[in-house]
Amino acid sequence: MVPLIEIRNLHFRYPDGTKVLSGIDFQLYEGETVAVLGPNGSGKTTFLLHLNGLLQGEGEVRICGMPVSKENLAAIRRKVGIVFQDPNEQLFMPTVLEDVAFGPLNLGMAPPAGLERARQALAQVGLAGLEQKAPYHLSEGEKRRVALAGVLAMGPEILVLDEPTTFLDPPGQKGLLTLLKTLPQAKVVVTHQTSVAASIAQRAVFFQNGTIIDSGPVRQILERHNWFPPD
């Protein structure tokens, strides 16, 4: 089976010379959810930003068989949808519907089709009826779902989520995890919450000092690294 994401020997330094990633190897397969675990500063977010070309280091990164290169970026960004830790970074239009439709319309979809795609994505995340609401009037859980709907409206094959349950209360966390488990896309999920990893992922990788030091079933990784920070 050809992986949706294939990374070989990825290295990355920031312009000030700080080395963040060192020899990363990683694969993601169709239908799979992988939790990305590890302490703060271990390279997890920098790793995520390589998955749609926001950062490009040294090594081989392929998405759906395509190398991450300048000529492939537009196609790759349609394949990989990233939901950032703070949904406010992704919500900037006057209404929820306009926010979710921004991506499809920016790709050149005709306005009626783009707005219909946005309505479908909002229904998919349980927010039908909020189309005309201003994003800044939403709860944190609703903002997270709108950000996710904006990504889903692009029709990605891969979802990348950075700390998806941050700032959510327990009912909000439970509802979001239930939703994520219904989505067919393969997923890469960075989380510090062991309950999140155990709930939605089949496999985990563990980052330390800029490299993946372990990979395997979630429970085994949690136990091997005594990774039980407070949820």
Side-chain angles (χ1 to χ4, degrees):
M1 183 185 298
V2 177
L4 295 177
I5 297 175
E6 185 168 18
I7 297 175
R8 295 182 181 176
N9 198 31
L10 176 63
H11 295 257
F12 181 78
R13 291 180 185 270
Y14 281 105
D16 66 1
T18 302
K19 190 169 188 178
V20 185
L21 300 179
S22 180
I24 297 293
D25 294 316
F26 177 84
Q27 295 82 36
L28 177 76
Y29 292 91
E30 185 175 352
E32 186 179 32
T33 297
V34 176
V36 178
L37 308 175
N40 290 334
S42 59
K44 302 186 299 298
T45 298
T46 300
F47 163 72
L48 291 192
L49 296 178
H50 281 78
L51 301 183
N52 74 347
L54 289 172
L55 293 176
Q56 294 186 48
E58 299 177 2
E60 184 178 7
V61 180
R62 288 182 172 270
I63 306 296
C64 300
M66 296 180 289
V68 176
S69 57
K70 185 176 180 179
E71 59 269 24
N72 290 334
L73 284 183
I76 284 170
R77 289 171 182 170
R78 287 194 290 269
K79 298 285 188 183
V80 180
I82 296 183
V83 181
F84 293 102
Q85 181 174 358
D86 183 355
N88 293 300
E89 295 180 3
Q90 294 178 259
L91 306 179
F92 54 87
M93 298 295 283
T95 68
V96 165
L97 183 63
E98 290 172 286
D99 232 314
V100 177
F102 179 84
L105 295 177
N106 197 47
L107 289 178
M109 189 174 288
L115 291 171
E116 180 57 27
R117 177 77 68 85
R119 290 188 184 94
Q120 292 172 357
L122 285 166
Q124 191 174 11
V125 302
L127 294 183
L130 297 186
E131 288 85 355
Q132 299 308 315
K133 198 164 185 179
Y136 58 84
H137 285 156
L138 301 174
S139 69
E140 287 300 320
E142 289 169 337
K143 288 179 181 178
R144 191 78 50 146
R145 287 173 182 252
V146 171
L148 177 59
V151 167
L152 293 175
M154 303 283 284
E157 293 186 34
I158 302 161
L159 294 177
V160 177
L161 302 109
D162 190 5
E163 300 288 357
T165 55
T166 300
F167 309 129
L168 300 186
D169 59 21
Q173 291 185 20
K174 183 178 179 181
L176 182 63
L177 292 178
T178 298
L179 168 62
L180 291 176
K181 286 189 280 190
T182 70
L183 299 177
Q185 288 87 353
K187 302 172 191 71
V188 178
V189 183
V190 169
T191 182
H192 280 95
Q193 294 186 288
T194 59
S195 58
V196 171
S199 173
I200 65 173
Q202 297 83 41
R203 181 164 63 90
V205 295
F206 196 90
F207 271 71
Q208 187 167 296
N209 297 325
T211 193
I212 293 174
I213 63 168
D214 205 356
S215 174
V218 174
R219 294 287 183 185
Q220 291 182 16
I221 297 299
L222 294 174
E223 292 171 2
R224 279 206 291 265
H225 297 277
N226 195 28
W227 191 245
F228 296 99
D231 279 357

